[in-house]
Amino acid sequence: MLDHAAPVPIKRSSYIKPHIAIDAVHLTIRLFDDRAVVICRFETSRLDDSTKPLTLFGGKGMALDRIVVDGAPLDASQFDTAQGEIQVEVGANSVVETTTTIHPHENTSLEGLYLSGDMLCTQCEPEGFRHIAWYPDRPDVMSVFTTRIEAPRSWPVLLSNGNLIEEGVLDDHRHFATWHDPFKKPSYLFAMVAGDLDHVQDHFTTKDGRDVDLRIYVEHGNATRTKHAMESLKRSMKWDEDVYGLSYDLDIFMIVAVSHFNMGAMENKGLNIFNSKFILADEETATDGDLDRVEGIVAHEYFHNWTGNRITCRDWFQLTLKEGLTVYRDQEFTADMHSRGVKRTDDVALLRAIQFPEDSGPTSHPIRPEEYSEINNFYTPTVYEKGAEVIRMIATMLGQDGFMKGMALYVERHDGTAATCDDFVAAMADANGVDFSQFKHWYSQAGTPVVTITRHYSADTQTLTLHFHQKLPKTAAKTERKPMVIPITLGLVGGNGAVVPLHHDGDTLDQMTFTLTEAEDSLTLTEVPEDAVPSYLRGFSAPVRLKTDLTDAEEMRLLAGDVDPFGRWDAGQSLMVKALTSMVATPSASVDLTGMINGLAETLSDKRLDGAEKAQILRLPSQSIIEAAVADHPDAVCDPYLIWEKRRLMMSLIGKGLEATAAPMLTAFEKKANRLTAQDRALYGRLLGLAVLSGYAGAEDHALNLSRHKNMTLSENGLAALNQMEGANRETALAEFADRWADNSLVMEKWFMHQSSAPMVSTPEHCDALMEHPAFDANNPNKLRSVLSVFAAMNTPNFHANDGSGYLYLARHIAQIDQRNPQVAARIVLPLTRFSLYSDERKAMMKGALARIKSAGGISTDLSEVISKSMN
Ligand code: PHE
Ligand code: ZN
């Protein structure tokens, strides 16, 4: 068996500027039923006085049919294409033309040009363009693209970036369209689509009077489900003008929904391509949560037009420059459109559930990584979500006005160029006259800092001294661990949630932000009444783990009425985590949750909170958060099954404890089901789940009935409640759901998810049976994730089965998927690498499963990078 030598990682420190610029690119793409011929002609000019050749990248071994430099054909067979890189001698100004034949119909990696259903589409970020043409495929080479697509007339719609400048018919039942994008861009933002597509149209007038033609292209039959996406797009365009002063810059903006897509969506200039799941959504087919996600992703891709496209990344180490910033922008957009508090809480819950474990596991990396073997592996929660937290801290420290001044300077300095994270931070610092050199450790140091706050109160002088201590844990990334700059927003809470003013340095404030820059520091507040309770890290002002000396009673006070919605929610989370940790540490001890349940009952009847806020407070902390807390406990073993069991037990105890308050609310919700707000639907779902789990009278019938509702949120509320345990009602609801949605492939993904996540029934055999279902498609990433990723993430009893069968099951599938789609395989494998907190036996089983995948041989660079890091 061939043992592939480990690929040599690429280092951030090895960056070299391009020697040669590409001034204009002319692409001709001839599409046929079984292949595409790509002619790529471009003009070059030297940027320095070196005589270095031009490096062109292509897929490893990708055909180079012909290459012509300044009119002279070179002997193409002289170029060794095996390593995906060739060197071409060019003059001071040259014209290079390459011709390549590719086979999109056989492309299952969904990178480059590929077939999704009956349409051809592209995915070029980060390095997909090289699978289409030999080209200097690196983000700091920006050029103006003109693209001519020729195709059979059976693909009537031919799209690319920019404006349509010509179209017409050709012989042989063929036709063509030529698109010109006047904005310089790197090749990763190139896109084209060909197919027999329907579209919906709308328009938006920018603040300077440009009338922009808006189009969403979909497969026939789907146009009716695009309204929400289109409205979301218009709201995004307006918001970016109102808040950032940034307007759209072309006369047309297109979105295409495709069913086979590795990620969520892609911001190609003027031609966004979306996973259809994030476009086709209305109240019948999508839940309220889904609709908000669609709105957020449409906004995210649109916002990239400035933060990503107009100003792009110099190299892929800078990925967070566009992603962290754009996530921050889409988070703020959603906060402005809906509830700021609910959005913040959702985002923090996500960060803790997926980014914290990444930062403490084998694939830990700073938001700006130092090296990679496969850049596709760095589209991570760290680069995206933690990256957004870093931008948020900058905004917190500078204030909204200061942040906007920094943004304006950033755009002024770097528009039309490929920039770095350093450039961004410099613009923020320069615009505000501040020094961010220490703050920049957030870009280079991996790991989640632990901040400990202890109190010393003097009743005599009424002073409260807070001692802060920060520590960055060791991580697999082995980056430096110097003290970070950590903004900590805090306030004091009196009885009934009263705001206790802060007296500090002669100022009186409702709340303040203390910035911790040393390993240890302290803050003294005066005129502090004895019973005031501090609320720390309001709004989650920094992405850290917080340890405090707050008592349960004090956290109950915060839960009952902290004015900060995050602080209030987090107090509840902390109480739950503490209770769960002791339930796991002493499994046989009886549990008394009375105090906490009383607090939750009060929350449930609190008139100041809406349904969504209540639903969030009643949501138990995710499995991974509890695992981390248990791992910290001196006498508890981090056993995922035991934790899952105790978490479920706590849920049913909370359900029982809340019955007196919750049961009448459920009856009322049922009565006015058709007239509920989205907020109330959220609470309805949460309470119904508790009711079924803890066996309220009639709860299962209620849920079964609700699962038949026309509104998808309500239907899912019913189905999800029943899905927690085996039983005839669950079977009936699932069967009816499948009948109703058999023809809607996207909705069937929900059905797969319910089954693969069901703890009682979804054994590996059951999941294998699911993958035989007619609605399943092994080449569709959504479908693979709906069974395999959901199994690994949600089905703890089966995935973490003590005999290791769940691990081996996942491993077997990953090895197969890797043959077809390495990017997807390298993501689905991740749960197998999250073993750092577990017992040695369990670690050995999980590593054993990874070793199995590796030993099959011939695995992709993507997968091999993740596995080698995890086995070290
Ligand atoms: N750049 C895309 C986004 O965040 C994500 C993406 C990456 C899509 C790579 C496809 C491939 O909006
Ligand atoms: Zn993005």
Side-chain angles (χ1 to χ4, degrees):
M1 199 182 308
L2 235 158
D3 190 25
H4 289 255
V8 185
I10 300 170
K11 290 189 174 353
R12 180 168 77 89
S13 54
S14 320
Y15 176 79
I16 300 172
K17 277 202 286 197
H19 303 286
I20 295 162
I22 307 299
D23 300 316
V25 189
H26 293 267
L27 273 174
T28 303
I29 304 180
R30 302 207 169 105
L31 303 174
F32 302 95
D33 287 333
D34 60 345
R35 68 192 190 284
V37 176
V38 181
I39 302 162
C40 179
R41 180 164 52 85
F42 50 84
E43 293 148 31
T44 70
S45 57
R46 287 220 172 259
L47 293 165
D48 54 28
D49 44 16
S50 77
T51 54
K52 295 236 161 61
L54 175 66
T55 302
L56 303 184
F57 298 99
K60 284 189 181 155
M62 184 171 83
L64 178 60
D65 300 343
R66 189 179 142 84
I67 175 163
V68 179
V69 176
D70 296 326
L74 308 183
D75 183 352
S77 67
Q78 294 299 300
F79 290 94
D80 178 9
T81 56
Q83 295 316 309
E85 209 176 301
I86 60 173
Q87 310 295 331
V88 180
E89 301 297 336
V90 293
N93 289 285
S94 286
V95 177
V96 178
E97 184 181 289
T98 63
T99 305
T100 309
T101 304
I102 54 179
H103 298 92
H105 314 73
E106 289 159 18
N107 179 355
T108 55
S109 68
L110 314 188
E111 179 189 36
L113 182 63
Y114 66 93
L115 198 63
S116 170
D118 295 324
M119 73 171 107
L120 277 171
C121 61
T122 54
Q123 175 50 46
C124 293
E125 185 182 5
E127 296 178 338
F129 190 79
R130 62 187 62 185
H131 297 280
I132 298 174
W134 288 89
Y135 187 77
D137 184 20
R138 42 186 284 175
D140 55 353
V141 173
M142 300 173 77
S143 189
V144 170
F145 282 66
T146 306
T147 305
R148 176 180 161 107
I149 308 169
E150 300 177 5
R153 285 178 220 160
S154 54
W155 284 326
V157 175
L158 304 177
L159 310 175
S160 191
N161 318 83
N163 302 309
L164 180 66
I165 54 172
E166 202 189 348
E167 59 185 331
V169 293
L170 299 167
D171 291 346
D172 282 341
H173 304 285
R174 292 172 66 80
H175 70 142
F176 77 96
T178 305
W179 293 80
H180 176 75
D181 178 3
F183 291 95
K184 282 177 122 189
K185 65 167 175 290
S187 47
Y188 84 84
L189 291 172
F190 168 80
M192 65 137 282
V193 171
D196 181 5
L197 303 175
D198 195 1
H199 75 272
V200 293
Q201 214 170 347
D202 206 326
H203 73 113
F204 178 85
T205 309
T206 65
K207 64 179 184 338
D208 26 58
R210 180 193 296 273
D211 191 30
V212 185
D213 180 4
L214 307 178
R215 299 182 182 209
I216 300 181
Y217 287 86
V218 295
E219 286 172 21
H220 287 283
N222 289 336
T224 52
R225 306 221 191 259
T226 56
K227 217 172 151 192
H228 177 71
M230 185 66 93
E231 293 305 317
S232 301
L233 174 60
K234 290 192 283 179
R235 284 194 290 273
S236 313
M237 295 177 87
K238 174 83 167 62
W239 186 88
D240 215 12
E241 291 194 334
D242 291 349
V243 180
Y244 282 78
L246 298 172
S247 293
Y248 189 61
D249 51 9
L250 284 165
D251 297 328
I252 182 165
F253 184 83
M254 297 172 281
I255 289 177
V256 183
V258 308
S259 52
H260 295 67
F261 201 75
N262 283 347
M263 309 278 274
M266 179 63 212
E267 69 263 23
N268 318 297
K269 183 76 187 191
L271 179 59
N272 288 359
I273 296 184
F274 270 65
N275 187 326
S276 53
K277 168 180 174 153
F278 296 117
I279 289 294
L280 305 176
D282 59 25
E283 289 191 349
E284 270 180 32
T285 62
T287 63
D288 297 326
D290 295 334
L291 292 170
D292 289 353
R293 241 176 322 277
V294 166
E295 182 186 55
I297 296 176
V298 167
H300 178 99
E301 305 311 330
Y302 174 73
F303 296 156
H304 268 315
N305 190 55
W306 280 94
T307 52
N309 302 0
R310 291 283 290 254
I311 305 178
T312 193
C313 299
R314 186 191 74 173
D315 56 73
W316 292 118
F317 295 101
Q318 317 299 326
L319 185 58
T320 199
L321 172 70
K322 73 177 177 83
E323 295 304 347
L325 178 55
T326 305
V327 170
Y328 171 72
R329 278 153 50 71
D330 83 56
Q331 289 175 346
E332 286 297 290
F333 165 75
T334 301
D336 284 348
M337 295 298 119
H338 304 277
S339 155
R340 182 161 285 273
V342 169
K343 174 62 177 163
R344 189 65 190 132
T345 304
D346 274 343
D347 289 338
V348 175
L350 181 78
L351 186 85
R352 286 176 173 166
I354 64 172
Q355 196 278 324
F356 281 19
E358 178 167 79
D359 233 350
S360 56
T363 57
S364 172
H365 52 277
I367 64 167
R368 181 186 57 198
E370 295 297 342
E371 60 172 58
Y372 61 76
S373 295
E374 176 49 68
I375 184 57
N376 275 301
N377 286 334
F378 287 82
Y379 288 78
T380 59
T382 298
V383 167
Y384 275 65
E385 272 72 30
K386 186 177 180 182
E389 294 301 321
V390 170
I391 304 294
R392 183 174 298 277
M393 286 188 284
I394 295 179
T396 300
M397 292 187 299
L398 296 179
Q400 179 71 5
D401 289 353
F403 182 74
M404 286 302 165
K405 267 200 263 169
M407 276 301 300
L409 185 60
Y410 173 61
V411 171
E412 186 190 314
R413 283 181 178 171
H414 302 290
D415 187 13
T417 71
T420 62
C421 298
D422 286 339
D423 292 333
F424 179 81
V425 178
M428 286 289 156
D430 295 351
N432 290 280
V434 297
D435 178 358
F436 273 144
S437 36
Q438 187 192 354
F439 182 80
K440 285 202 332 197
H441 296 340
W442 282 105
Y443 283 87
S444 54
Q445 299 188 157
T448 310
V450 177
V451 172
T452 309
I453 310 179
T454 44
R455 291 173 292 174
H456 296 275
Y457 181 70
S458 154
D460 292 348
T461 57
Q462 292 221 312
T463 55
L464 174 66
T465 303
L466 303 176
H467 290 288
F468 299 85
H469 175 262
Q470 62 164 302
K471 187 165 193 259
L472 194 57
K474 286 193 177 140
T475 66
K478 299 196 174 65
T479 46
E480 285 192 282
R481 292 155 65 218
K482 292 188 272 196
M484 313 277 261
V485 175
I486 302 178
I488 301 168
T489 302
L490 52 93
L492 291 172
V493 181
N496 294 321
V499 176
V500 177
L502 297 179
H503 299 278
H504 172 65
D505 270 357
D507 284 334
T508 304
L509 307 155
D510 282 353
Q511 65 174 31
M512 66 179 284
T513 297
F514 173 79
T515 305
L516 178 63
T517 57
E518 308 291 325
E520 280 181 68
D521 203 349
S522 60
L523 167 74
T524 298
L525 302 169
T526 53
E527 296 171 63
V528 179
E530 178 144 24
D531 73 335
V533 178
S535 159
Y536 304 121
L537 209 64
R538 281 184 162 170
F540 198 64
S541 56
V544 301
R545 286 183 208 269
L546 185 65
K547 295 193 172 163
T548 73
D549 55 8
L550 293 179
T551 62
D552 284 3
E554 288 174 319
E555 287 188 324
M556 295 287 291
R557 156 94 64 92
L558 298 178
L559 171 64
D562 190 349
V563 287
D564 180 52
F566 166 79
R568 185 167 188 170
W569 169 80
D570 205 34
Q573 294 286 295
S574 170
L575 285 163
M576 291 181 195
V577 169
K578 278 195 269 183
L580 275 163
T581 307
S582 53
M583 284 162 75
V584 173
T586 35
S588 53
S590 67
V591 271
D592 180 12
L593 301 175
T594 325
M596 189 177 83
I597 289 173
N598 287 342
L600 293 175
E602 273 175 43
T603 304
L604 199 49
S605 348
D606 191 329
K607 298 244 165 12
R608 294 167 299 177
L609 296 176
D610 70 26
E613 291 169 311
K614 292 176 187 179
Q616 279 185 326
I617 290 174
L618 292 177
R619 177 170 63 191
L620 266 65
S622 65
Q623 171 92 13
S624 65
I625 290 168
I626 307 164
E627 287 181 2
V630 168
D632 266 356
H633 190 286
D635 1 278
V637 179
C638 189
D639 172 351
Y641 179 74
L642 180 63
I643 291 173
W644 177 84
E645 205 180 42
K646 294 297 179 193
R647 184 176 182 273
R648 191 173 160 99
L649 171 64
M650 176 182 275
M651 233 180 319
S652 71
L653 293 174
I654 290 177
K656 287 204 185 78
L658 293 182
E659 184 164 0
T661 323
M665 291 176 87
L666 279 167
T667 311
F669 282 147
E670 189 175 25
K671 270 207 195 104
K672 50 172 189 183
N674 296 329
R675 287 169 288 123
L676 296 173
T677 60
Q679 287 80 2
D680 281 339
R681 285 193 290 263
L683 182 57
Y684 191 175
R686 183 79 63 227
L687 294 182
L688 193 57
L690 293 174
V692 170
L693 190 67
S694 20
Y696 295 10
E700 285 209 21
D701 290 339
H702 182 162
L704 180 59
N705 252 325
L706 196 64
S707 75
R708 297 169 177 144
H709 203 284
K710 224 171 112 59
N711 175 285
M712 181 57 82
T713 308
L714 294 176
S715 169
E716 283 271 276
N717 282 351
L719 187 51
L722 291 173
N723 196 40
Q724 306 172 93
M725 42 234 212
E726 258 176 307
N729 287 326
R730 173 182 179 271
E731 299 287 324
T732 308
L734 279 170
E736 290 180 4
F737 192 92
D739 263 1
R740 182 146 44 111
W741 295 110
D743 296 336
N744 188 319
S745 158
L746 281 175
V747 177
M748 285 305 284
E749 285 165 16
K750 295 184 183 300
W751 185 80
F752 286 123
M753 288 165 75
H754 283 300
Q755 312 235 6
S756 53
S757 64
M760 302 312 162
V761 285
S762 287
T763 58
E765 296 71 43
H766 188 84
C767 289
D768 273 343
L770 279 177
M771 289 193 261
E772 297 297 317
H773 190 277
F776 192 81
D777 169 1
N779 285 318
N780 185 313
N782 292 0
K783 300 290 184 295
L784 289 169
R785 287 187 284 256
S786 71
V787 176
L788 295 171
S789 302
V790 171
F791 171 79
M794 321 258 290
N795 192 341
T796 306
N798 283 295
F799 179 59
H800 289 293
N802 280 334
D803 60 0
S805 53
Y807 306 142
L808 291 174
Y809 169 71
L810 192 66
R812 179 161 59 77
H813 279 284
I814 287 161
Q816 288 168 11
I817 296 167
D818 189 49
Q819 304 295 316
R820 306 191 302 270
N821 189 330
Q823 287 179 32
V824 166
R827 278 174 187 275
I828 295 184
V829 76
L830 292 174
L832 280 176
T833 71
R834 300 293 186 252
F835 46 62
S836 57
L837 305 176
Y838 299 156
S839 68
D840 289 344
E841 291 109 289
R842 194 171 288 283
K843 269 187 195 142
M845 285 194 290
M846 294 176 81
K847 287 190 179 184
L850 292 171
R852 258 303 164 99
I853 302 175
K854 203 170 179 190
S855 70
I859 63 171
S860 65
T861 320
D862 304 60
L863 193 51
S864 138
E865 179 175 36
V866 176
I867 295 182
S868 342
K869 280 186 175 172
S870 310
M871 310 270 288
N872 281 341

